[in-house]
Amino acid sequence: MSEQRIAIVGAAESDYGKCPGRSEFDLHNQAAERALSEAGLGKDDVDGLFSLTNGYFRCPSLLVAEYLGIHPTYEDCTSVGGSSFELLVEHAMAALQAGRCKVALITYGSDQLSVLGRTLGTKSDPISHIAQQYEEPYGLNIVSAYALAARRHMHEYGTTSEQLAEIAVSTRKNASLNPLAMYRDPLTVEDVVNSRMIASPLHKFDCCVISDGGGALVLTTEDRARDCAKDPVWVLGSSQCSDHLHIADMPDLTESAAAVTGPRAMAEAGVKPEDIDLLCTYDSFTITVLRAIEDLGFCEKGEGGAFVEGGRTAVGGDFPVNPDGGGLSSNHPGMRGIFLLIESVRQLRGEGGDRQVADAELAVAHGVGGWLSSHGTVVLGKDK
């Protein structure tokens, strides 16, 4: 197995927001072409495909490969929800180092907003139905599952709705600096806590947006990365872990498997939490962010509420989180883990524009899948 370092040399989104008339495969293709173009590569260079769709398609990598017109000799369609793409980075890295492929393309596309509209969340897919058959009839859906974890955190540590609202406010401030974000109008703590209750204690603005959109990443080995059009961003460490599927089987409602993946990924990268310049983490709900900050080791358990106060997680704050506006304000097309990686890469290249985090050299992308079920952490660093 090669000891070469692995780099991300292309990272791009498709159009996102609401994209009527565009299939999820169109969005895969648009993102893939943009990512390959900025790397100075073409589809003929791709021999490893790592791909997921938001629809319940069998053989998603085969469908995407056919649509893109590529013939991979290595493919992977591991699906564990929103953290899938952090896992796929780890899998692509292993395949590249083993010589199973030379250029790995990771893609995602979703037309959930255009296709599902207001029916989103009212129907179960077959897999979730197996897990939720004893809970969903009584109202325990995806929002109320996270609300359950939020309420327990409040009970154990005194976390308040106002502290959760601070996350939504800072994320909206970040989104205001992103011209592509779906929601850019200012938001206050009062706006959040006075917005409609969805599942107590989570209000409307504690919950992510719904969008269409896709993304793509291109990874390759160090020797080839040096010849690509963009400066490489290095994959320094990664880790994955899950400890349940449905929330009813979560071992501890106040601690997730991120407490395993964060330390492992950072140890592999040879860094500590205090070395990290920005965090791009899953923000399906405000509680998802607060839990990740604690479990990844950026503050002690139970101190997340105080940690996020005062705009600390906004661009320009002490600990920038989701500079693009995250799933709470920018976009959330079903599984958002690939956008965490894209924004991390963009920030480390210094391409954030108005939302650029100053002197960003190390970033953590952390994905969460299911009901706080699956976690994947990737540490990325710029070329020095």
Side-chain angles (χ1 to χ4, degrees):
M1 180 179 290
S2 169
E3 295 299 323
Q4 284 200 79
R5 293 191 297 169
I6 303 303
I8 297 176
V9 294
E13 308 104 331
S14 70
D15 295 343
Y16 62 79
K18 190 167 187 178
C19 307
R22 302 289 300 276
S23 74
E24 58 189 88
F25 297 104
D26 291 332
L27 300 171
H28 275 272
N29 185 65
Q30 186 180 53
E33 288 186 340
R34 289 174 177 176
L36 286 165
S37 176
E38 71 167 35
L41 298 171
K43 291 179 180 178
D44 290 343
D45 294 303
V46 176
D47 56 356
L49 179 64
F50 302 75
S51 193
L52 288 176
T53 64
N54 191 56
Y56 308 116
F57 295 108
R58 298 178 67 184
C59 310
S61 63
L62 300 182
L63 286 164
V64 173
E66 184 173 76
Y67 193 91
L68 298 183
I70 60 177
H71 304 94
T73 57
Y74 191 96
E75 54 190 288
D76 186 338
C77 49
T78 298
S79 180
V80 288
S83 64
S84 298
F85 304 96
E86 283 66 37
L87 273 65
L88 289 178
V89 165
E90 185 172 85
H91 296 180
M93 181 169 63
L96 289 161
Q97 289 180 329
R100 298 295 183 180
C101 59
K102 296 179 180 178
V103 174
L105 174 65
I106 302 176
T107 71
Y108 177 64
S110 168
D111 58 355
Q112 69 163 8
L113 178 58
S114 294
V115 172
L116 296 177
R118 293 180 64 84
T119 67
L120 183 66
T122 64
K123 296 184 289 186
S124 293
D125 65 273
I127 295 175
S128 1
H129 179 70
I130 295 170
Q132 292 184 278
Q133 59 184 315
Y134 301 112
E135 288 85 12
E136 195 170 67
Y138 302 97
L140 188 59
N141 57 23
I142 187 71
V143 185
S144 52
Y146 278 78
L148 184 66
R151 181 60 72 191
R152 188 65 193 181
H153 199 279
M154 290 177 165
H155 173 77
E156 291 284 349
Y157 302 113
T159 309
T160 66
S161 291
E162 287 76 13
Q163 289 172 330
L164 292 179
E166 292 265 9
I167 295 170
V169 170
S170 291
T171 309
R172 179 63 64 86
K173 182 179 178 181
N174 294 348
S176 72
L177 305 174
N178 177 6
L180 301 178
M182 290 181 70
Y183 295 95
R184 304 179 65 210
D185 293 338
L187 198 62
T188 67
V189 169
E190 289 73 22
D191 291 334
V192 178
V193 297
N194 291 325
S195 63
R196 180 166 55 96
M197 187 69 76
I198 304 300
S200 181
L202 300 179
H203 303 81
K204 174 183 176 181
F205 291 127
D206 286 301
C207 305
C208 67
V209 304
I210 299 167
S211 76
D212 301 326
L217 299 165
V218 183
L219 291 82
T220 191
T221 51
E222 182 171 4
D223 55 353
R224 188 153 190 174
R226 297 296 184 188
D227 295 327
C228 289
K230 290 278 190 178
D231 288 338
V233 170
W234 304 103
V235 183
L236 303 179
S238 63
S239 180
Q240 57 182 286
C241 185
S242 62
D243 58 10
H244 65 281
L245 173 57
H246 191 251
I247 196 77
D249 291 315
M250 190 172 182
D252 183 345
L253 282 170
T254 65
E255 182 171 285
S256 71
V260 175
T261 64
R264 281 183 180 173
M266 288 186 230
E268 185 176 285
V271 301
K272 297 178 180 179
E274 55 265 32
D275 298 321
I276 303 303
D277 298 307
L278 71 137
L279 171 65
C280 290
T281 189
Y282 217 88
D283 58 342
S284 45
F285 306 96
T286 51
I287 186 62
T288 320
V289 178
L290 187 144
R291 297 283 301 274
I293 289 171
E294 291 182 348
D295 291 344
L296 292 171
F298 295 109
C299 70
E300 295 297 321
K301 175 56 63 179
E303 296 180 1
F307 184 90
V308 301
E309 290 178 341
R312 190 174 192 177
T313 61
V315 173
D318 293 338
F319 188 69
V321 176
N322 296 335
D324 65 335
L328 290 170
S329 286
S330 180
N331 68 80
H332 195 298
M335 294 188 285
R336 196 174 187 273
I338 199 164
F339 296 91
L340 312 175
L341 293 153
I342 292 168
E343 180 65 11
S344 296
V345 170
R346 189 164 288 142
Q347 288 287 332
L348 294 176
R349 288 177 178 164
E351 298 173 348
D354 291 339
R355 66 180 187 272
Q356 178 63 45
V357 174
D359 303 318
E361 295 187 350
L362 289 169
V364 165
H366 178 74
V368 181
W371 300 265
L372 289 165
S373 313
S374 170
H375 294 258
T377 306
V378 177
V379 181
L380 299 171
K382 67 187 298 183
D383 207 7
K384 291 187 178 181

